[in-house]
Amino acid sequence: MASVIFAAAISVGLPLVALVYAFYRKRYIPFLLGVLAFVVSQVLFRVPILKYLGENSIAFSMFSATQPVLFAIVIGLSAGIVEGLARFIAMRFFMVQRDWKSGFLFGAGHGGIEAVIFVGIQALTLLFSPTALAYNEAFFLGGIERFFAILLHIGLSIMVLQGVVHKKFLYVVLAIFIHGLVDSLVGILPLYVPKESVMIVLEVTLAMIALALFSYSIWIKRKGVLT
C-alpha cells in the first residue's frame, strides 16, 4: 500500500502542488498550456494514430516485429516530434509570459498531466482496492519514473522556451532529439538487458538524462539566459 500511496503522491500530488503554485503566482496560463500541449499532441493525435496503425496496418505490425530497434527509434522520435512541436507552437503563439518560471510551470503542467494519466489515476483507484498490496514494486518504480519524467519535461520545456525567446529553432530540434532518445531507449534496452534488470537500468538511465537536463535549465537561470 505504501508504494501505491507514494505513486499517487508523485503522480497526482506534485502536479496539484504545481497547479496551486501556478495560480498563486498568477502563472496558470503557462501551466495550462503545458497540459494542453501534452493532451493535444499525445492523447488526441499521436496515440490514436499509433493505435489505428497497430490495429489496421499489416506493414506497421511487420515493421515492429522484424525491425524492433528501428521501430523503437521511429516511435520514440514520433513522441519527441509531436510533443516538441506542441511545446513550440504553444509557447510561440499563445504564451505571453516567457521567463524561466513560466517555462518551469509549462513543463510541470506537461509532465504533470502525463503522470496523472499514466500512473496517477490507476494509483488513486488502487488506493481503494483490496488488491493494492500486489502492486508494491511496480508502483514504487512507477512513482520514481514519473518524478524524473516530470523533471525531464521541465528541462525540455525550458530548452524549447530558450529557442522561442532567442529565435533559435536549433534548441527545439535538440529538445526533440533528447526526448526521442529517451523514448527510444524504453523500447531498445529491453531487447538487450536481462529481464530482471531492465527496469532498474531504464530508471537509472531516465534519471541521469533528466537530472542532466534539469541541471542545464538551472544553469540557464543562473546565467540569466532566461530571467
Side-chain angles (χ1 to χ4, degrees):
M1 180 66 74
S3 67
V4 178
I5 294 174
F6 172 74
I10 296 295
S11 302
V12 179
L14 283 184
L16 281 178
V17 169
L19 177 60
V20 171
Y21 178 78
F23 272 92
Y24 174 73
R25 302 296 297 183
K26 297 181 180 179
R27 304 291 181 109
Y28 51 87
I29 296 299
F31 184 93
L32 295 177
L33 283 174
V35 172
L36 191 62
F38 178 81
V39 171
V40 172
S41 63
Q42 286 283 15
V43 179
L44 300 181
F45 182 70
R46 177 176 174 269
V47 172
I49 290 176
L50 292 180
K51 182 180 179 182
Y52 175 83
L53 290 174
E55 293 175 350
N56 297 279
S57 173
I58 297 177
F60 184 82
S61 300
M62 289 295 293
F63 178 43
S64 66
T66 59
Q67 301 290 338
V69 173
L70 186 57
F71 180 79
I73 293 173
V74 171
I75 295 299
L77 282 176
S78 72
I81 290 169
V82 297
E83 290 187 49
L85 291 179
R87 284 187 177 95
F88 174 77
I89 292 170
M91 292 175 177
R92 173 66 178 81
F93 298 104
F94 301 101
M95 196 168 87
V96 177
Q97 297 166 302
R98 294 177 179 174
D99 56 4
W100 190 92
K101 189 175 292 183
S102 296
F104 180 97
L105 289 171
F106 185 103
H110 193 103
I113 191 62
E114 181 185 54
V116 170
I117 293 172
F118 287 169
V119 177
I121 293 174
Q122 190 177 2
L124 288 177
T125 303
L126 278 173
L127 282 178
F128 304 96
S129 169
T131 63
L133 291 175
Y135 295 88
N136 270 333
E137 183 180 355
F139 270 89
F140 179 71
L141 290 174
I144 293 175
E145 178 190 359
R146 286 302 101 196
F147 174 77
F148 287 112
I150 290 172
L151 284 187
L152 180 74
H153 283 299
I154 290 172
L156 291 171
S157 297
I158 289 174
M159 182 174 286
V160 171
L161 182 58
Q162 184 181 2
V164 171
V165 170
H166 295 282
K167 295 181 172 59
K168 294 183 178 179
F169 196 74
L170 178 62
Y171 288 107
V172 181
V173 174
L174 184 57
I176 288 172
F177 173 78
I178 294 172
H179 191 169
L181 172 65
V182 172
D183 280 27
S184 297
L185 290 175
V186 173
I188 293 172
L189 288 178
L191 300 174
Y192 300 99
V193 178
K195 185 178 180 180
E196 61 273 11
S197 306
V198 66
M199 286 303 299
I200 299 299
V201 173
L202 281 170
E203 299 304 329
V204 171
T205 302
L206 170 61
M208 291 174 61
I209 297 174
L211 288 172
L213 190 58
F214 188 72
S215 297
Y216 171 75
S217 69
I218 297 297
W219 179 84
I220 284 178
K221 179 176 175 59
R222 290 179 176 174
K223 289 292 184 179
V225 177
L226 290 175
T227 56

